């Protein structure tokens, strides 16, 4: 019997139900649970995912993590714009700053992570995939970083992680045009490991996890830390990238084009760019 068929044990985490966590054997399944909002990330999602990953890291009986989205339409639509405008995604909670977007993108755990991408994953959904060690996608999934179409940029790691995970010129095309990638194209480029029908998504993700679980867990964790450059929960090689993203992002948000992009999105019209 594989992990997928094991009776789930529900794990108590924060987030007021916006994230569900259940342990099946040695696998922790983390589900973004806002299908009515295409699983967009607000403070509750950030807290829930962050606490689930902390649980996984601190629990010797968890050897692998799978992250997915509720429903069949969206894995994650990125940041909840209302929550972001209200400052909910940062604030004075030191944990949220340390964990990064969705409680995930700078939350460097030793346990292997698998993204099970069940649908729309543009923007923040792609950045969660980039932050995962492995990924399985439904054949209906779409990936991409369309932020430039809104006058902003992929500030949750996408702007520097995508060119390191797929060929540089293809990554630049994806980021500078904002055009999406199909699941099969993402597989061809190496962004995901497998593409399967939606009904087979979680079984395939658990099957991949079971192949990892066949190995010595501590050896797997050491291997991941070395491969990713993780020391004390941090990746020193990315520190300059995050600092550059913060500085460039702060400047970008002062520009007229950034304000126009957000207005045009809210008003459901084409933006009128001025280049300033």
């Amino acid at each position: 019997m594989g992990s997928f068929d094991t009776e789930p044990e529900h794990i108590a985490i924060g987030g007021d139900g916006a994230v569900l966590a259940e342990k099946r054997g040695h696998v922790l399944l983390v589900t973004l649970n806002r299908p009515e909002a295409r699983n967009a990330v607000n403070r509750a999602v950030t807290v829930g995912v962050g606490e689930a990953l902390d649980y996984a890291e601190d629990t010797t009986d968890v050897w692998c993590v799978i992250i997915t989205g509720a429903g069949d339409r969206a894995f994650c639509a990125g940041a909840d714009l209302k929550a972001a405008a209200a400052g909910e995604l940062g604030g004075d909670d030191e944990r949220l700053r340390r964990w990064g977007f969705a409680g995930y993108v700078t939350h460097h755990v030793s346990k292997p992570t698998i993204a099970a991408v069940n649908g729309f994953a543009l923007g923040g959904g792609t950045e969660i995939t980039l932050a995962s060690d492995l990924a399985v996608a439904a054949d209906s999934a779409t990936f991409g970083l369309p932020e430039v179409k809104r006058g902003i940029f992929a500030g949750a790691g996408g702007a520097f992680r995508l060119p390191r995970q797929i060929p540089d010129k293809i990554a630049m095309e994806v980021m500078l045009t904002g055009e999406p990638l199909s699941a099969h194209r993402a597989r061809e480029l190496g962004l995901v490991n497998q593409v399967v029908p939606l009904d087979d998504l979680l079984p395939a993700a658990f099957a991949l996890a079971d192949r990892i679980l066949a190995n010595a867990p501590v050896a797997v964790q050491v291997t991941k830390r070395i491969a990713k450059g993780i020391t004390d929960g941090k990746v020193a090689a990315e520190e300059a990238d995050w600092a550059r993203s913060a500085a460039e992002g702060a400047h970008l948000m002062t520009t007229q084009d950034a304000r126009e992009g957000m207005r045009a999105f809210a008003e459901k019209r084409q933006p009128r760019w001025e280049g300033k």
Side-chain angles (χ1 to χ4, degrees), residues 4-26:
F4 182 70
D5 301 312
T6 302
E7 187 69 23
E9 174 190 349
H10 297 284
I11 305 301
I13 56 172
D16 297 324
V19 176
L20 305 177
E22 59 183 48
K23 190 163 76 73
R24 299 190 185 187
H26 295 298

Side-chain angles (χ1 to χ4, degrees), residues 121-123 126 142-149 162 166 170-182 185 189 191:
L122 299 177
T126 290
T142 53
F143 299 88
L145 299 173
E147 285 84 352
V148 292
K149 292 181 176 289
L162 188 65
I166 68 173
I170 303 299
M172 294 304 293
E173 179 182 355
V174 169
M175 294 189 296
L176 300 183
T177 66
E179 295 170 358
L181 294 170
S182 69
R185 181 61 172 149
L189 294 168
L191 182 59

Side-chain angles (χ1 to χ4, degrees), residues 234-246:
K234 298 180 180 179
V235 176
E238 288 187 347
E239 288 181 2
D241 297 305
W242 287 111
R244 188 178 301 110
S245 291

Side-chain angles (χ1 to χ4, degrees), residues 55-119:
Y55 172 86
E57 188 73 346
D58 295 340
T59 304
T60 57
D61 199 38
V62 172
W63 298 354
C64 191
V65 176
I66 295 173
I67 186 167
T68 193
D72 58 6
R73 294 181 55 243
F75 172 61
C76 175
D80 183 311
L81 296 182
K82 291 181 180 178
E88 287 185 16
L89 302 185
D92 58 358
D93 191 329
E94 182 275 333
R95 300 181 307 166
L96 272 59
R97 292 193 295 271
R98 174 163 45 86
W99 294 338
F101 173 75
Y104 195 82
V105 300
T106 55
H107 200 160
H108 303 295
V109 297
S110 301
K111 312 299 173 71
T113 56
I114 301 172
V117 184
N118 54 302

